[in-house]
Amino acid sequence: MKKWNLPRIDSKSAVIALTVLALLYFIVLPLAVLIWDSVMVDGTFDLSSYAAVYSQKVNLKALRNTVEISLLVMLLSVLVTFPLAWLIGRTDLPGRKKFRTILVASYMIPPYVGAIAWTQLLNPDVGYLNQLLKTLFSLSQAPFNIYTRGGMIWVLTLFYSPFAFITISRAMEKMDPTLEEASRIAGASPLKALWDVTLPLMAPSILAGGLLVFIGSGSCFGIPAIVGMPGNIEVLTTRIVSFVYMGDDQGIRNATTLAVSLMFLANGLLFFMSWLMGRKDYTTISGKSTRPVLVELGRWKGLATFFVGLYAFLAVILPLGSIVMTSFMVSMSKGIRLDNFGIDAWIPVLENSQYLDCIWRSLGYAFLSACIGTVLALFVAYLSVKTRVPGRSLPDILVMVGGSTPSVVIALALIIFFSGNYGLNLYSSMWILIVSYLVKYMTMSVRTIAASLSQVSSSLEEAGLNAGADWLRICKDIIMPLIAPSIVAGWFLIFMPSFYELTMSNLLYGSDTQTIGVLLYELQTYADTQNASVLSVIILVIVMVGNLILNKVSKGNIAI
């Protein structure tokens, strides 16, 4: 009999091939089917669905609201965070490290929890802050109403501006200080050096931070749903969810059309940013010393400290204080009194099996997502950094596309693709939730692991091969121990956002797969303020503990 000599496939090639196939199947195909369904009607290319959807004033207004509100949030975020980043990173401002920790902490707060906090503070009828201002100034009506366009912009700015602050402050710390120092030696004042030197050099980071804020606020569902919808302010994300909830074919088709519009808006901006930055040279890091001489604020130190402290209070301390205070109130009707505080509201929550099930379920889903995602991220990062295979950057690009795609778009794509029409049927199962978390949150894990892999010498792997070990053994015994802190950090970067995720979970959960984010959103929707506050505090505690572990493991280099 004739023997066939089949080519030998080594473990490295097999693992990489399976990883690429998994990314294609779970990221590319669902998004491709979503786009296909939006432009094809009965097998024919047809854009009539776009004309039909945008001929409705409510959808056109939602699109306009999305763009206008996101632009305003982006501009406000940059205008606020650039001076904050400069004051904290480049001046002798007192308590700079503490202020940085407080401002970055708002990045850890789930946006919908921040929205709940501000509805408690600025509700026109019972808001704590409104009640206080009415009493202090003898006002007949509340001075603020959170359920307005301005209220929505306020909350979005507070909880998405950390995107800009982190981006700008990191770039500012690494910028070559000699250019600023030369400007100062030439006689320029600190403000003139800031305007003429620092600001132009920081342009790419400012643009990058601003666009991240634009995309984040435009893709957000929690804040528009909790703050905007009660005031009849619709954006694309809330319209998409409303159409999905209709449940019929026309509703899904309308949702698909809006989702594709939102996807192209978000990803188009990201690729435009990459193209724009690639056209100019913005070298701000050199081989020289990158330790800038701190600018002395002098007589402005007090005012600057007050400005930074006020922002930190409004962005973090005040909303967190509202959530915590509400969770310990005995009775909401009695208001803020010393004899009205206790743990009475906590006991029913901690004894409620539905609530506890949601918490444990969310922890379990986040754990599985983080474990699977970290393994995939390791292989994607290895392929990108440690091989010379043609197309090795493709998986990294696919992961980036998934991470940059709005959550509501990912959820709708998975609903359409995994409803049994294209093979797997994961609808309403825990696996469709886990897939959505992987698609959305693997990006940061890949980046973190890739950064560490680039520092591992290839000679170590070659030594292992020469000793007769296969590639998987080398990964387990050599590579993974060397980059263990980054692997753990990458694990937490998937685990924490998956734990408190709302938008995708709200569209993908079933009767037996409700998560903590969905439960909290429903409690807030049905005006169960105290239980919502208790669950919010539990979420915040878990996220902050996770962040402390991540900070410890990464030695302060990585945090949510």
Side-chain angles (χ1 to χ4, degrees), residues 506-542:
N506 196 44
L507 289 177
L508 298 174
Y509 83 99
S511 57
D512 298 323
T513 58
Q514 188 182 43
T515 63
I516 186 69
V518 175
L519 174 63
L520 184 54
Y521 174 68
E522 290 182 352
L523 289 174
Q524 179 64 22
T525 302
Y526 293 109
D528 193 345
T529 306
Q530 278 194 292
N531 284 352
S533 297
V534 173
L535 287 173
S536 296
V537 173
I538 292 173
I539 290 174
L540 292 171
V541 169
I542 292 173

Side-chain angles (χ1 to χ4, degrees), residues 85 97 155 157 215 221 318 336 360 454 544 553 559:
K97 290 184 178 179
V155 180
T157 301
I215 294 167
F221 168 73
L318 185 59
I336 304 173
W360 287 114
S454 64
M544 287 180 179
V553 169

Side-chain angles (χ1 to χ4, degrees), residues 104-118 155-156 158-160 162-163 216 220-224 226-227 315-316 319-320 323 441 495-503 516-518 520-521 532-533 535-545 547 560:
V104 173
S106 61
Y107 187 56
M108 296 187 294
I109 304 172
Y112 61 87
V113 173
I116 292 171
W118 279 101
V155 180
L156 283 167
L158 288 180
F159 292 97
Y160 281 95
F163 284 66
C220 179
F221 168 73
I223 293 175
I226 293 171
V227 176
V316 181
L320 287 185
I323 289 284
Y441 299 123
F495 174 84
M496 285 191 281
S498 298
F499 167 68
Y500 60 70
E501 203 281 329
L502 168 64
T503 307
I516 186 69
V518 175
L520 184 54
Y521 174 68
S533 297
L535 287 173
S536 296
V537 173
I538 292 173
I539 290 174
L540 292 171
V541 169
I542 292 173
V543 171
M544 287 180 179
V545 169
N547 192 67
I560 288 290

